[in-house]
Amino acid sequence: MARLLSFALLAVSWLSLFGLVSADAVNDLFKKSKPNLDAQLAKSKTCTKDKLEVRKEWGDLSATDKKAYIAAMLCIMQKPSKLDKTKFPGAQSRYDDFVVVHMNQTMSIHGTGSFLTWHRYYTWSFERVLKEECGYNGTQPYWDWSKWSADPEKSPIFDGSDTSLSGNGEKINHKASAMTGAPAGNGGGCVKTGPFKDMVVRLGPVSPAVDPAPPRNPRTDGYGSNPRCLRRDISNYLSSRYLRTQDVLGLIQNSRDLATFQNVMQGAGGFGGGGMGVHSAGHFTIAGDPGGDFYTSPNDPAFWTHHGEIDRVWTIWQLQDINTRVNIVSGGTSMMGFGRQQSLDDLVDLGVVGHKVYKIRDLVSTVDGPFCYTYDT
Ligand SMILES: *[C@@H]1O[C@H](CO)[C@@H](O)[C@H](O)[C@H]1NC(C)=O
Ligand SMILES: *[C@@H]1O[C@H](CO)[C@@H](O)[C@H](O)[C@H]1NC(C)=O
Ligand SMILES: [Cu+2]
């Protein structure tokens, strides 16, 4: 009996050592915590089960649903900006408004206490604008990185079909990324396939991380109009190392507190030393311009599915213990922990793309405050 038990334990540790976790492991964790979602709903002041919206993985949407999301995104790219044209000449569409708001606040929303809540509200606001200004009926889809981590170019998000968010950039000769150390990917040039092949990127660059460098913006703040193509440099180099099921599972299971969770998620070093957090790994799997630019990354149409997944992973982490993991904030007001510690009463203001200024405490739960959504399992 004891021998059997130790054999079983040995088998388990070998399995995790080799990363042979079930592909459904993260989903299983989510399923097991569903009673906690019900408990959250029972306490919610604003959201009820019958109003609850469900966000799905891109690959699980029907072709019709995918096309509706794509059409709504193309629609807000045609609607006029609500920003002052003299201050933000590069912001010509409603979509661009989102990019400007992210550029403007970049230094206070990454590596800070507001990172998770800010990006939750930001992604939700994008979904809301698609609905309210372009008649979209669906929810914000997410990119389950792990499902496609072996070959992201084959994923339904990046396969270049008319139900994708466009494919890789054209393959051009270029240097390895100075930012991540990843070798040159399979693209690097302009995206020439799928619904966003004719998209015009105008804002930035601000901190370009691609070779060859994009043309410089006419203004030092990056808000000038700098029309150019959408570029990507997708490869499996980062995804096959840092976005596998065991990477996401490890992030959720090994992060005992919020500071650890958000630092590892965004950090240079994952658990087990070295490596890269899932947040950076996702962004630099898309890479290119603006995808690999810290400031202007929302200008790539795949940004929202990436941040949908960031939000989903945080949601699953929160649901493991709703008494200690929801009503909290951790981190400072400026990047890398400088500035004062943030509090739940700090404000999150999305300007022209938000509909209200919220406190961080209003944005910590997906089923309270302005939110009433969850993720499929
Ligand atoms: C940029 O940020 C400042 C300070 O947070 C804010 O006052 C201003 O309204 C922001 N501008 C835009 C366009 O979001
Ligand atoms: C959204 O749903 C409404 C009501 O069901 C319908 O009338 C409308 O055509 C739908 N819009 C889109 C873009 O599918
Ligand atoms: Cu961001």
Side-chain angles (χ1 to χ4, degrees), residues 4 8 14 21 24 36 46 49 60 73 78 85 91 144 158 160 195 207 210 215 218 227 274 277 315 340 345 377:
L4 202 65
W14 275 93
V21 294
D24 291 325
N36 287 344
T46 57
K49 209 163 187 171
D60 293 334
M73 209 171 345
Q78 297 304 317
K85 295 216 165 17
D144 185 344
F158 297 117
S207 85
V210 281
T315 301
R340 66 171 172 78
D345 289 318
T377 50

Side-chain angles (χ1 to χ4, degrees), residues 83 88 100-101 104-105 223 349-352:
L83 287 166
F88 306 100
V100 166
V101 169
N104 186 39
Q105 299 188 40
Y223 295 134
D349 184 355
L350 296 186
V352 293

Side-chain angles (χ1 to χ4, degrees), residues 103 203-208 217 220-223 228 289 293-296:
M103 289 167 76
L203 292 153
V206 180
S207 85
N217 195 278
T220 51
D221 60 13
Y223 295 134
R228 61 200 191 278
D289 168 48
D293 186 315
F294 196 35
Y295 290 78
T296 61

Side-chain angles (χ1 to χ4, degrees), residues 102 106 109-110 115 118-119 122 279 283 294 297-298 303 307:
H102 188 271
T106 288
I109 56 168
H110 301 102
F115 169 73
W118 193 95
H119 286 83
Y122 183 62
H279 175 245
H283 278 300
F294 196 35
S297 56
F303 173 94
H307 268 278

Side-chain angles (χ1 to χ4, degrees), residues 33-343:
S33 59
K34 274 295 169 73
N36 287 344
L37 176 66
D38 290 335
Q40 261 191 317
L41 274 166
K43 283 189 292 185
S44 172
K45 290 189 273 308
T46 57
C47 175
T48 53
K49 209 163 187 171
D50 57 311
K51 280 194 289 181
L52 192 63
E53 297 202 332
V54 180
R55 292 181 175 180
K56 296 184 192 157
E57 214 280 327
W58 183 261
D60 293 334
L61 296 177
S62 69
T64 310
D65 290 348
K66 287 176 184 145
K67 285 180 178 169
Y69 178 78
I70 291 163
M73 209 171 345
L74 289 168
C75 167
I76 65 164
M77 289 176 184
Q78 297 304 317
K79 299 262 178 195
S81 165
K82 294 188 178 174
L83 287 166
D84 181 342
K85 295 216 165 17
T86 59
K87 285 196 191 130
F88 306 100
Q92 294 175 18
S93 76
R94 197 63 181 121
Y95 190 100
D96 295 338
D97 289 352
F98 280 90
V99 184
V100 166
V101 169
H102 188 271
M103 289 167 76
N104 186 39
Q105 299 188 40
T106 288
M107 297 307 284
S108 56
I109 56 168
H110 301 102
T112 61
S114 63
F115 169 73
L116 289 164
T117 43
W118 193 95
H119 286 83
R120 169 173 286 171
Y121 180 33
Y122 183 62
T123 304
W124 178 85
S125 297
F126 186 74
E127 179 185 38
R128 187 182 65 85
V129 166
L130 294 180
K131 289 177 194 239
E132 291 181 3
E133 299 178 29
C134 281
Y136 178 56
N137 282 347
T139 55
Q140 172 59 46
Y142 65 91
W143 164 23
D144 185 344
W145 312 301
S146 307
K147 231 170 149 172
W148 325 100
S149 60
D151 195 355
E153 285 179 87
K154 295 260 162 60
S155 82
I157 300 189
F158 297 117
D159 67 12
S161 68
D162 59 357
T163 55
S164 71
L165 300 179
S166 281
N168 203 353
E170 280 197 315
K171 192 169 175 58
I172 57 167
N173 273 328
H174 61 293
K175 295 198 205 96
S177 166
M179 187 74 81
T180 64
N186 305 328
C190 295
V191 168
K192 293 275 179 67
T193 58
F196 300 100
K197 63 178 175 11
D198 300 319
M199 180 180 169
V200 180
V201 176
R202 285 176 287 256
L203 292 153
V206 180
S207 85
V210 281
D211 175 66
R216 288 166 77 100
N217 195 278
R219 285 170 41 150
T220 51
D221 60 13
Y223 295 134
S225 181
N226 184 22
R228 61 200 191 278
C229 69
L230 169 69
R231 287 167 59 191
R232 285 180 180 154
D233 193 21
I234 303 173
S235 82
N236 72 353
Y237 185 84
L238 297 174
S239 61
S240 64
R241 286 168 173 74
Y242 309 120
L243 295 175
R244 301 160 302 176
T245 304
Q246 66 262 39
D247 301 314
V248 179
L249 190 68
L251 169 66
I252 297 171
Q253 292 192 315
N254 299 336
S255 301
R256 301 272 166 224
D257 54 61
L258 182 59
T260 308
F261 177 76
Q262 64 192 24
N263 290 343
V264 172
M265 169 177 255
Q266 293 170 88
F271 285 107
M276 182 182 273
V278 294
H279 175 245
S280 312
H283 278 300
F284 290 114
T285 289
I286 304 170
D289 168 48
D293 186 315
F294 196 35
Y295 290 78
T296 61
S297 56
N299 216 339
D300 188 303
F303 173 94
W304 313 96
T305 50
H306 173 49
H307 268 278
E309 174 76 340
I310 291 283
D311 189 67
R312 172 176 167 263
V313 171
W314 176 33
T315 301
I316 298 172
W317 181 83
Q318 289 184 303
L319 286 174
Q320 303 311 303
D321 186 352
I322 54 170
N323 296 321
T324 62
R325 293 187 177 186
V326 179
N327 231 340
I328 47 168
V329 66
S330 169
T333 49
S334 89
M335 255 183 78
M336 312 307 175
F338 299 119
R340 66 171 172 78
Q341 284 303 107
Q342 291 212 261
S343 94

